[in-house]
Amino acid sequence: MTSEVIVVGAGLAGLSAAERLASRGVGVLVLEAAEEPGGRVRTDEVDGFRLDRGFQVLAPAYPEVRNRVDVHALEPQRFTRGIRHVRSDGRVVRLADPRTDPAGIGELVRSGLSVGDGMVLGLFTARDALLPGRRLTAAPERSTRVDLARRGLSTRTVEELFRPFLAGIFLEDELTTSSRFFHHVWRCFARAAPVLPRTGMVALPRQLASRLPPASIRYEHPVAEVDPGKVRLRDGAAVSGRAVVVATDASTAGELLPGLRSPAWNAVTTFYHRARHSPVRGGTITTDARRAVLNTTVLSDVAPSYAPDGSSLISTSILGAVPDPHGVEPEIREHLARLFGSGTREWEWLATYPIPRALPAMPAPHPFRRRVRLRDGLYVCGDHRDTSSIQGALVSGRRAAEAVLADLNRGAHP
């Protein structure tokens, strides 16, 4: 079996690389171990509910999403701007960007945010929203915690507001993540509210896969070994081509490419519950100052298509991959009753997704552009080569494809 370029993995990075190559007339064969595309971006359908494998959102302001994805075709369902935050004393405040929601100023004051902290927050939010991304990448790098302190935010504001919110994005609650990545994310959230595709997050990789020539993706074809221009499948079959792009997650890439640095992983566990009625109206993310949960959201208030008529779907995430969800679920449900201020005993527990490999860790310093060309005929991409995000996966795939195209044009081959 022969193809010009072989892409190992049909996650976002692999599909991004394959689409770029195919658009330039290069013959591509994508080998995927699973039964459908997406990698970590997957959606299960259970009794009329759409359950993303872990709480995920699409940020339409990501530059690569704007350039490469037909967001309109995904029928995006928008979250409410801002968050619903439950303080450590139990009080509930709504935190919104006062630039787009003047009522948010009063809520910020009631949240306990000082005038000084409010000015600092407003200044760097406006700055991040207006500056080109390359300026943010070139800024001094430190941990997010140190960066927020150096900008003048009080320890109380960081602990009470930023740490609970950002823990749900970074999947680590010490705020050791690179400050450059924080400002890129903050910039995108300031520019546009996150969304959910109407049919679930899997709609994103399905859209990318639909752009490839028919039969260019082979599912349930796990790869055992790669070399420049050659791939061996677990069933012993061999596939050859002029180039191979390894587009798996970081750990699998490290197994296929000995010597490749594999970052540590941040882990998460997401619980899904069904309720007859929404415990809090509005598609708003709820954060918890006590950090017993990272966040919780009534997804069916954001995207009604996520639940059948007469039901509400609640997603709740906690830090780490829980080995025994049955031992934790009653505590989670009890805590959710406090966060929502309503009973949860009648809720139905639908599913739990412990995800030990959710996001590659990005402690400072973090290089935003790790090399994708290993040698002639062998390349690698994935969010572990850029940033731990949909943006990073798509960008790394494009960079790998461009490296392959450059080598093919100059006649390089294994």
Side-chain angles (χ1 to χ4, degrees):
M1 186 162 43
T2 304
S3 185
E4 197 166 5
V5 178
I6 306 158
V7 177
V8 180
L12 295 182
L15 293 170
S16 172
E19 183 203 16
R20 191 76 166 189
L21 291 165
S23 70
R24 301 296 180 86
V26 176
V28 178
L29 176 63
V30 181
L31 302 174
E32 168 58 44
E35 71 284 356
E36 67 172 334
R40 280 169 280 147
V41 182
R42 302 279 293 279
T43 304
D44 295 326
E45 295 190 25
V46 179
D47 297 332
F49 293 92
R50 302 184 192 275
L51 309 181
D52 294 326
R53 296 190 183 180
F55 177 60
Q56 303 181 47
V57 301
L58 178 62
Y62 274 146
E64 201 73 3
V65 170
R66 292 202 313 267
N67 294 335
R68 305 283 301 281
V69 177
D70 184 351
V71 176
H72 179 72
L74 299 176
E75 300 179 74
Q77 314 292 298
R78 298 190 180 279
F79 285 80
T80 302
R81 295 295 290 265
I83 61 172
R84 176 181 178 273
H85 181 65
V86 182
R87 294 175 18 141
S88 53
D89 61 8
R91 289 175 54 197
V92 178
V93 293
R94 188 177 65 86
L95 305 178
D97 187 345
R99 297 174 308 152
T100 56
D101 184 357
I105 297 176
E107 289 288 342
L108 287 173
V109 172
R110 283 189 287 276
S111 73
L113 192 73
S114 69
V115 174
D117 282 346
M119 291 180 63
V120 171
L121 176 59
L123 285 172
F124 82 67
T125 298
R127 168 187 173 275
D128 287 356
L130 295 173
L131 279 180
R134 62 181 179 276
R135 291 280 301 277
L136 296 179
T137 303
E141 186 178 27
R142 44 217 174 206
S143 72
T144 296
R145 178 184 289 279
V146 170
D147 183 82
L148 293 174
R150 289 195 177 185
R151 289 180 185 278
L153 284 179
S154 67
T155 300
R156 178 188 176 193
T157 293
V158 171
E159 290 295 314
E160 179 75 25
L161 300 180
F162 274 86
R163 189 175 176 186
F165 174 68
L166 294 176
I169 298 173
F170 301 156
L171 303 187
E172 58 91 4
D173 71 351
E174 296 300 321
L175 303 188
T176 58
T177 297
S178 164
S179 59
R180 290 176 180 172
F181 180 59
F182 159 68
H183 286 291
H184 275 280
V185 171
W186 198 253
R187 170 179 179 258
C188 290
F189 283 2
R191 289 184 166 188
V195 303
L196 291 173
R198 187 183 66 81
T199 58
M201 285 297 294
V202 74
L204 174 58
R206 284 177 178 170
Q207 181 185 109
L208 298 177
S210 71
R211 298 174 183 172
L212 297 177
S216 60
I217 305 180
R218 301 198 178 180
Y219 298 108
E220 299 181 284
H221 275 59
V223 169
E225 187 177 340
V226 300
D227 286 300
K230 187 176 181 180
V231 167
R232 184 174 62 81
L233 303 176
R234 286 185 190 168
D235 64 7
V239 185
S240 59
R242 296 182 65 187
V244 174
V245 179
V246 176
T248 63
D249 68 69
S251 295
T252 304
E255 294 168 3
L256 293 173
L257 301 166
L260 188 75
R261 177 186 175 275
S262 182
W265 286 97
N266 291 340
V268 68
T269 300
T270 299
F271 291 80
Y272 285 106
H273 290 94
R274 170 194 176 274
R276 290 185 178 180
H277 306 287
S278 174
V280 55
R281 291 295 177 182
T284 306
I285 296 172
T286 295
T287 57
D288 174 22
R290 296 183 180 181
R291 302 195 307 282
V293 303
L294 291 174
N295 51 57
T296 182
T297 310
V298 185
L299 293 183
S300 51
D301 284 352
V302 180
S305 55
Y306 266 57
D309 292 342
S311 295
S312 292
L313 177 65
I314 299 97
S315 163
T316 305
S317 294
I318 65 174
L319 201 60
V322 176
D324 179 21
H326 289 84
V328 174
E329 191 273 342
E331 299 175 14
I332 296 297
R333 190 189 302 229
E334 183 179 346
H335 190 71
L336 290 174
R338 291 194 290 269
L339 293 182
F340 287 123
S342 62
T344 58
R345 290 186 179 181
E346 301 303 316
W347 287 12
E348 177 187 352
W349 179 18
L350 292 173
T352 300
Y353 292 89
I355 308 173
R357 298 178 179 180
L359 288 177
M362 293 181 57
H366 177 82
F368 271 42
R369 293 291 185 270
R370 287 192 169 96
R371 65 192 179 112
V372 293
R373 182 186 185 278
L374 302 182
R375 54 186 180 276
D376 284 354
L378 190 59
Y379 310 81
V380 62
C381 61
D383 57 359
H384 54 99
R385 312 312 293 170
D386 281 73
T387 61
S388 303
S389 61
I390 289 174
Q391 164 78 7
L394 295 174
V395 168
S396 73
R398 171 172 55 80
R399 290 201 300 124
E402 289 170 352
V404 171
L405 290 168
D407 284 354
L408 292 178
N409 288 336
R410 69 180 177 85
H413 56 83

